[in-house]
Amino acid sequence: HVPPCHEGLEPNGAVPGERAKRDENVKRGNWGNQIEFVLTSVGYAVGLGNVWRGCRGVGLAGCPGCAFMFPYFIMLVFCGIPLFFMELSFGQFASQGCLGVWRVSPMFKGVGYGMMVVSTYIGIYYNVVICIAFYYFFVSMTRVLPWTYCSNPWNTPDCAGVLDGNGNGSAAVNLTRILNATQKRTSPSEEYWRKYVLNLSDDIGNLGEVRLPLLGCLGVSWVVVFLCLIKGVKSSGKVVYFTATFPYVVLTILFVRGITLEGAVTGITYYLTPQWDRILDAKVWGDAASQIFYSLGCAWGGLITMASYNKFHNNCYRDSIIISITNCATSVYAGFVIFSILGFMANHLGVDVSKVADHGPGLAFVAYPEALTLLPISPLWSILFFFMLILLGLGTQFCLLETLVTAIVDEVGNEWIIRRKTFVTLGVAVAGFLLGVPLTTQAGIYWLLLMDNYAASFSLVVISCIMCVAIMYIYGHRNYFKDIEMMLGFPPPIFFQICWRFISPAIIFFILVFTVIQYRPISYNDYVYPTWAISIGFLMALSSVICIPIYAIYKVCRSEGDTLLQRLKNATKASKDWGPALAEHRSGRYAAAFSPSSECPVEVQPLHPEKARSEAAAAPPLQGSNGSAHSQDSRL
């Protein structure tokens, strides 16, 4: 007898008489094709971090160019790519999100909850950055960019525009030099950013009023994200054809324009000139590791989620190499684009490139917009630049939202919530919008930078390290290598086996130690964060990591066993339903563990029901391991 959920269908969802849909998860869904997954993962990894955090490492470490790139590529090879491959293979093998995959070792499910917390924090403030890009995109649709001159109501007497003085560039340079000799120059783009867009308050505790234009743009950005994810990966997979590729078109246009400007070579030279005396600074290596984790999206849960929608035999090893290299090449390429135009600006002002180079939001919304005012048809270049920022941000935001939605749906797991996944997406989007409202206040930028620096920085490193240890040493490296061989047809290369077991966890641990030793509190320009705000930052960082021990203690207490050692053993042992999601992929040691009840209960009816019933009545009850009695029939 076949229950209603399987009536008229083959085991994997094919219609009777039709060839079975091998390697297709009909219930949960798969990517339309492999290009959609690669483009989505590229869009996820290549985000706003490649524009502002890529140069943030250059600026904060005081280590321009190659001296930062050296530890950056070391971290990429020995940490970034191996962990990227691990997360893709982890999610693809189990076809589960960042919570469901921890059937591999249930005690470590707190790692999945930690990933969800990190993705929640990032998703909240990431969309605020996108909303600011939307705002600049809309205001750029004018004949003269509003941050070009100092003749606006919000400007102060300290403002000195490079184009003020009837557009006479040399006069502006002379004026700038005079001002630099006596006081710090305030550019019109900086005053537009601080005095008009943000209307910045004097303290992180002084929230002030909500900036209504930013609130409206925040609503627009969340609506766009929701509409693109309304059908899950089936709809977002089509959108990424544009959102993941068009930023490269814009980058190339800006690059060609940038290298043709006077002074561009100076900026690129600054970008490529190393300061080797900084190479032994632990903070440089810490920044490189943080940038790799942030940029590639390791430990966010998004990679596991995106890979879970792959078909079982997809070559995720090849995908991990392609996506990782594309991401880091984009960071380097974006550096050329940014510094070519910053070099032009420095040449125009007659100052060093380091004087105009900024980091974080200051680079994206102050330094670069000011440089754009010097170009002919500046509104066009401004529209292109901020449109690129919007697309880069949306590509990452899609995956952040899908990570949370998939984790919730997979965790509940019943047909009711699977059919109403759109409403779950809507609920998460509305919650994200409401939580982002405080970041649109006058003190919003302080909170945004606090979240950026603490909520999703080295907590990622801790989560990745524990994930490595749990998979390699608790579940067992031999088991995991066999799983990958079952899925891909070949075991992971020796280099990745060594990295997963020894090199990556060791490097991550020592970088974490050095960074803690050399920790410095954050600041925003001249504003120093108060102690209570930094304490909140540490609590945000701790909130994702603390999920791991809390859930581990809970799981051990709930596990069977008379002694603590027995409970630990049962809590770390892989669940019976761990393994490939589809029956046709469960071979070897997973064949015996597979139970049809995990997908849909199948009722088995005997050929001679009367005889079976009489035998069952005569048989004595069997005592189960938990002390309950079972008849032979129910046990069967």
Side-chain angles (χ1 to χ4, degrees), residues 151-221:
S151 56
N152 302 290
W154 58 83
N155 292 127
T156 66
D158 297 335
C159 181
V162 295
L163 292 177
D164 283 330
N166 298 323
N168 189 329
S170 60
V173 171
N174 291 333
L175 175 62
T176 302
R177 285 175 177 166
I178 294 171
L179 288 170
N180 282 339
T182 57
Q183 62 186 24
K184 188 178 184 297
R185 169 185 173 265
T186 306
S187 67
S189 62
E190 183 177 355
E191 292 201 348
Y192 181 76
W193 164 249
R194 292 169 63 90
K195 303 286 186 182
Y196 186 75
V197 178
L198 302 178
N199 194 11
L200 194 63
S201 67
D202 58 351
D203 185 72
I204 188 172
N206 181 16
L207 293 179
E209 64 180 10
V210 173
R211 303 291 295 145
L212 293 180
L214 294 183
L215 183 64
C217 290
L218 181 64
V220 170
S221 59

Side-chain angles (χ1 to χ4, degrees), residues 437-492:
V437 171
L439 301 185
T440 62
T441 61
Q442 291 176 260
I445 194 68
Y446 297 129
W447 290 101
L448 190 151
L449 291 174
L450 189 71
M451 295 177 73
D452 184 41
N453 279 271
Y454 288 95
S457 186
F458 270 86
S459 54
L460 301 177
V461 182
V462 175
I463 290 173
S464 288
C465 189
I466 294 176
M467 182 179 69
C468 264
V469 171
I471 296 176
M472 290 295 106
Y473 295 98
I474 306 300
Y475 176 59
H477 62 277
R478 290 187 179 88
N479 289 334
Y480 195 67
F481 298 160
K482 288 177 182 177
D483 290 345
I484 292 180
E485 186 172 7
M486 177 196 302
M487 181 172 65
L488 302 183
F490 58 88

Side-chain angles (χ1 to χ4, degrees), residues 258-552:
I259 60 175
T260 58
L261 297 170
E262 186 179 359
V265 175
T266 306
I268 293 174
T269 303
Y270 173 82
Y271 176 55
L272 295 177
T273 302
Q275 293 178 2
W276 294 111
D277 58 313
R278 303 283 290 170
I279 198 70
L280 297 179
D281 188 347
K283 193 171 189 327
V284 174
W285 290 82
D287 280 338
S290 181
Q291 169 64 7
I292 283 293
F293 280 103
Y294 192 97
S295 183
L296 287 177
C298 296
W300 292 15
L303 296 177
I304 294 175
T305 302
M306 295 302 104
S308 71
Y309 292 102
N310 277 333
K311 294 181 180 178
F312 184 73
H313 295 296
N314 170 64
N315 190 347
C316 58
Y317 168 67
R318 172 202 61 204
D319 295 341
S320 63
I321 302 294
I322 293 173
I323 297 164
S324 300
I325 293 177
T326 300
N327 170 73
C328 295
T330 304
S331 293
V332 176
Y333 187 35
F336 280 99
V337 176
I338 297 292
F339 278 90
S340 63
I341 294 185
L342 292 182
F344 163 68
M345 183 179 177
N347 179 75
H348 188 90
L349 294 174
V351 297
D352 189 72
V353 178
S354 60
K355 301 294 183 183
V356 295
D358 204 342
H359 63 271
L363 176 69
F365 301 113
V366 176
Y368 206 83
E370 184 176 11
L372 294 174
T373 62
L374 304 175
L375 300 177
I377 326 177
S378 55
L380 172 64
W381 305 110
S382 183
I383 288 172
L384 283 175
F385 176 72
F386 289 111
F387 187 53
M388 177 188 72
L389 287 188
I390 291 169
L391 295 181
L392 288 174
L394 287 176
T396 303
Q397 191 68 16
F398 291 159
C399 297
L400 290 170
L401 190 63
E402 185 62 39
T403 297
L404 299 175
V405 173
T406 298
I408 294 170
V409 172
D410 284 350
E411 187 66 9
V412 178
N414 56 39
E415 291 289 337
W416 183 88
I417 198 168
I418 290 174
R419 290 174 182 172
R420 291 163 178 80
K421 185 178 178 181
T422 300
F423 294 102
V424 179
T425 306
L426 178 61
V428 173
V430 171
F433 169 76
L434 294 176
L435 291 171
V437 171
L439 301 185
T440 62
T441 61
Q442 291 176 260
I445 194 68
Y446 297 129
W447 290 101
L448 190 151
L449 291 174
L450 189 71
M451 295 177 73
D452 184 41
N453 279 271
Y454 288 95
S457 186
F458 270 86
S459 54
L460 301 177
V461 182
V462 175
I463 290 173
S464 288
C465 189
I466 294 176
M467 182 179 69
C468 264
V469 171
I471 296 176
M472 290 295 106
Y473 295 98
I474 306 300
Y475 176 59
H477 62 277
R478 290 187 179 88
N479 289 334
Y480 195 67
F481 298 160
K482 288 177 182 177
D483 290 345
I484 292 180
E485 186 172 7
M486 177 196 302
M487 181 172 65
L488 302 183
F490 58 88
I494 297 295
F495 172 77
F496 285 91
Q497 295 183 21
I498 295 173
C499 284
W500 288 344
R501 294 183 62 194
F502 308 112
I503 300 177
S504 297
I507 290 178
I508 293 168
F509 176 75
F510 284 115
I511 287 176
L512 182 62
V513 171
F514 283 130
T515 306
V516 169
I517 293 173
Q518 296 201 359
Y519 164 76
R520 297 172 189 170
I522 66 165
S523 60
Y524 178 54
N525 294 334
D526 297 329
Y527 177 74
V528 179
Y529 280 71
T531 304
W532 66 267
I534 294 175
S535 300
I536 291 177
F538 276 114
L539 288 175
M540 284 192 289
L542 189 64
S543 63
S544 56
V545 178
I546 200 68
C547 294
I548 301 171
I550 288 177
Y551 189 85

Side-chain angles (χ1 to χ4, degrees), residues 557-592:
C557 293
R558 293 293 301 272
S559 297
E560 295 181 351
D562 297 327
T563 65
L564 178 61
L565 188 61
Q566 289 177 343
R567 289 174 178 268
L568 277 172
K569 186 176 180 181
N570 289 329
T572 55
K573 187 171 61 177
S575 302
K576 291 181 180 179
D577 54 352
W578 159 253
L582 300 183
E584 56 260 38
H585 298 144
R586 284 184 170 262
S587 58
R589 67 181 188 275
Y590 293 107

